[in-house]
């Protein structure tokens, strides 16, 4: 029998999850839940339904895992604890600073419901976190580095769009190659914010807008751009659509550490991602952890989990025998 | 209280484990066990003892985890099941084809003893296996590639040393840069053995030996060299010691896979290692898994485990709260 999946929220991430389910033959999409008018939503999966979110409490016997595809700022802090009382859930909560509090809220709810709730799944937090942890544990004497990009930062693009005279914009975060090289050489450099990443902005301005002012406002924007070397390109709406419609991302987690009687030997562990579609890759990770949530709950487990708490084998559709034979 | 560790076998790996224990403040080395004369062995840890292996059955109340540092060909198939009846154990059994049988033997023994036995720990099998599994599960539609090197292959170096007229030799396995590039570009190439790795040999020949014959014998040696592009350099004993005394290794695990409604987006997951000392890095991984074995057994678990079965958090000396706060 397939693992029956529900999706709550049908934006980029929800659509990515829908596609990822199709790539996993042991899963099926049962329903998409939305706060919009269900009739306004057209999904891609024959046989699956679209319901208003109000129907969620009534579907608990039809769905094994509910995947929460809302945003970290406003949706998930409410939805994940609420839903963890009713369903095994997976979310991609990514506000790093608020993870401990989110964990506690979700843990309480999931234990009330006897469900498994996996939070903060994706690539960062997610696969990058797992790799930071493995690497730091294996090489206790060393330094860890995370670089992001080249990729689109939604938050930074939004920040540019709010500037007067800007019609649309895309911002790319780019790791500094020289910094990456120093890290890979085992030099364990201390790197400032400016030394790690640059920011490149493609901006569509209103006709007659003061481009110099826009560029200045971008480059001096606190938190978002002021601490970085930022490049601004003004392009046309058509160029933006033609050349910058994708949502690529990725990055690098690197640990450089020493071993030996006198710590004379150096080792570099590097994990990197090069993603054509940030939301689709995130979705693919989420779907694998949905399988794990289902299995853990079936084995009697409950409460909130993160990628740290879940044995790798629980993610795979393969049996333990197959994994040992073919992948070990 | 510290986790009390025993080491069985004191070669490169055993010495590496001893050094790694020193880097983990929640562990202490209690004793090294050897089949040689204990008086012939000088260890580096004040307060730890050296015993003959015959003493192993008497130390079960002094040691929490016994780390088995013997060879995969002859030692571990016997020692791991034998010791798993008495101790929580970790080994680095690396004969891929025989892992299923080794697992079964060890599993039976560990269950008799109510102990946890973790087998095939290191980087391949080990961290490479975990990364192959995560990547394949996240991207079901794709291809996986493992490249090894640049690094010293002990087996290939030994094979050269057996040739008549050879005094000593070191062999490096080197991944082919062009093949790596194709994989990283998402081309999903079909790669022959020859296209993936080259082999470079540094050979010290006897005075007056027929170097042409030696080179020919190396390059045509079935399984070891015949399927590869092999380079042979004749050097002096002094050059070998000066330039080739290290045991570096490493490699790359790369998964290239597609997602999206029409599989239109490609993603590359890459995990790589660049190791100054193969045995010391392997030791560092083993010691982290010794911590996990201890914890799992304390929680009432028993039987044989691999890296697939062990949740990442069990490896780390940090609490779950710390991990969520600092690494997620």
């Amino acid at each position: 029998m397939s693992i029956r999946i529900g999706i709550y929220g049908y934006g980029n991430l929800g659509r990515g999850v829908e596609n990822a389910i199709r790539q996993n033959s042991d899963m099926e999409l049962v329903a998409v839940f939305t706060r919009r008018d269900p009739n306004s939503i057209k999904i891609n999966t024959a046989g699956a339904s679209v319901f208003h979110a109000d129907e969620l409490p009534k579907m608990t016997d039809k769905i094994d895992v509910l995947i929460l595809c809302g945003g970290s700022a406003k949706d998930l802090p409410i939805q994940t604890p609420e839903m963890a009382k009713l369903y095994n859930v997976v979310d991609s909560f990514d506000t790093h600073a608020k993870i401990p509090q989110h964990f506690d809220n979700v843990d309480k709810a999931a234990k009330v419901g006897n469900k498994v709730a996996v939070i903060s799944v994706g690539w960062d937090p997610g696969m990058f976190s797992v790799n930071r942890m493995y690497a730091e544990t294996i090489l206790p004497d060393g330094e860890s580095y995370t670089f992001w990009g080249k990729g689109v930062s939604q938050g930074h693009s939004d920040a540019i769009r709010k500037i007067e005279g800007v019609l649309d914009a895309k911002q790319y975060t780019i790791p500094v190659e020289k910094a990456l090289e120093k890290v890979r050489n085992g030099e364990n450099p201390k790197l400032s914010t400016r030394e790690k990443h640059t920011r490149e902005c493609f901006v569509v301005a209103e006709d007659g807008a003061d481009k110099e002012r826009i560029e200045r406002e971008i480059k001096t924007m606190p938190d978002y751009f002021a601490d970085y070397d930022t490049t601004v390109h003004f392009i046309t709406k058509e160029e933006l659509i033609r050349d910058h419609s994708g949502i690529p991302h990725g990055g690098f987690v690197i640990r450089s550490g020493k071993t030996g009687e006198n710590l004379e030997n150096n080792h570099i562990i590097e994990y990197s991602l090069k993603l054509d579609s940030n939301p689709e890759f995130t979705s693919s990770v989420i779907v694998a952890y949905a399988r794990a949530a289902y299995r853990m709950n079936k084995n009697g487990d409950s409460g909130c989990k993160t990628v740290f708490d879940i044995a790798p084998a629980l993610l795979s559709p393969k049996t333990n025998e197959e994994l040992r034979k073919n992948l070990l």
Side-chain angles (χ1 to χ4, degrees), chain A:
Chain A
M1 210 184 71
S2 295
I3 305 173
R4 301 167 304 171
I5 306 285
I7 293 173
Y8 184 6
Y10 197 66
N12 280 338
L13 193 63
R15 279 190 298 273
V17 169
E18 180 182 30
N19 288 329
I21 291 168
R22 210 177 302 127
Q23 295 183 272
N24 287 276
S25 59
D26 60 338
M27 299 192 174
E28 60 171 318
L29 177 64
V30 172
V32 169
F33 298 89
T34 177
R35 285 170 301 183
R36 293 178 270 168
D37 173 7
N39 293 315
S40 73
I41 288 180
K42 169 124 185 50
I43 64 171
N44 266 322
T45 306
S49 313
V50 183
F51 295 115
H52 192 273
D54 291 346
E55 306 296 310
L56 273 160
K58 303 176 195 162
M59 294 284 287
T60 53
D61 60 337
K62 300 271 191 302
I63 287 169
D64 297 312
V65 185
L66 182 68
I67 296 178
L68 304 172
C69 298
S72 294
K74 296 185 176 167
D75 302 329
L76 300 176
I78 315 268
Q79 290 174 1
T80 313
E82 216 170 77
M83 289 300 126
K85 288 181 191 159
L86 304 173
Y87 294 97
N88 298 311
V89 298
V90 184
D91 82 15
S92 59
F93 186 79
D94 66 359
T95 314
H96 288 263
K98 292 185 178 164
I99 285 174
Q101 193 196 322
H102 188 58
F103 182 92
D104 288 342
N105 295 343
V106 174
D107 193 47
K108 276 189 205 103
K111 280 175 177 157
V112 168
N114 255 315
K115 300 295 179 188
V116 167
V118 192
I119 62 161
S120 302
V121 175
W123 61 275
D124 197 0
M127 296 316 298
F128 269 21
S129 321
V130 166
N131 276 282
R132 280 191 286 262
M133 205 229 77
Y134 274 124
E136 176 191 283
T137 306
I138 293 168
L139 298 174
D141 290 292
E143 292 290 333
S144 292
Y145 298 84
T146 301
F147 293 87
W148 295 275
K150 181 181 179 179
V152 172
S153 163
Q154 215 57 55
H156 288 78
S157 302
D158 289 344
I160 300 172
R161 286 191 202 102
K162 285 182 189 147
I163 293 173
E164 204 196 310
V166 171
L167 287 173
D168 205 348
K170 269 281 170 83
Q171 192 269 181
Y172 295 90
T173 306
I174 304 167
V176 174
E177 197 58 45
K178 215 194 300 178
L180 269 171
E181 247 169 60
K182 279 185 187 169
V183 171
R184 287 184 182 134
N185 287 340
E187 297 175 31
N188 290 8
K190 296 270 166 241
L191 296 168
S192 68
T193 299
R194 192 177 297 274
E195 287 167 322
K196 283 185 76 183
H197 298 94
T198 57
R199 299 196 176 278
E200 190 168 20
C201 313
F202 294 87
V203 180
V204 182
E206 281 172 12
D207 276 352
D210 180 351
K211 291 182 180 172
E212 266 180 50
R213 175 191 51 81
I214 291 173
E215 180 163 346
R216 196 171 54 242
E217 283 192 36
I218 293 173
K219 289 185 169 177
T220 58
M221 198 185 296
D223 300 329
Y224 284 87
F225 293 100
D227 299 333
Y228 298 85
D229 289 338
T230 301
T231 320
V232 177
H233 309 278
F234 289 94
I235 59 175
T236 65
K237 183 88 198 162
E238 291 68 35
E239 286 168 328
L240 191 80
I241 292 169
R242 188 190 68 202
D243 302 333
H244 304 284
S245 284
I247 320 174
H249 220 311
F252 306 82
V253 171
I254 308 178
R255 177 83 177 173
S256 168
K258 298 193 178 297
T259 66
E261 207 182 322
N262 303 300
L263 302 184
E264 67 274 23
N265 287 313
N266 199 69
H267 309 279
I268 306 284
I269 305 173
E270 176 168 343
Y271 180 80
S272 72
L273 297 173
K274 201 168 74 189
L275 313 176
D276 275 357
S277 164
N278 184 353
E280 286 181 9
F281 187 80
T282 300
S283 304
S284 300
V285 180
I286 288 175
V287 163
Y289 278 93
R291 182 181 290 116
Y294 170 75
R295 288 172 170 175
M296 293 171 96
N297 188 240
K298 248 191 136 182
N299 290 337
D301 208 342
S302 68
C304 190
K305 314 285 174 190
T306 74
V307 292
F308 298 139
D309 306 311
I310 297 178
L314 289 167
L315 306 180
S316 172
K318 294 189 171 166
T319 66
N320 289 334
E321 289 74 20
E322 286 172 315
L323 292 176
R324 286 194 293 269
K325 191 164 188 276
N326 300 320
L327 292 178
L328 197 61

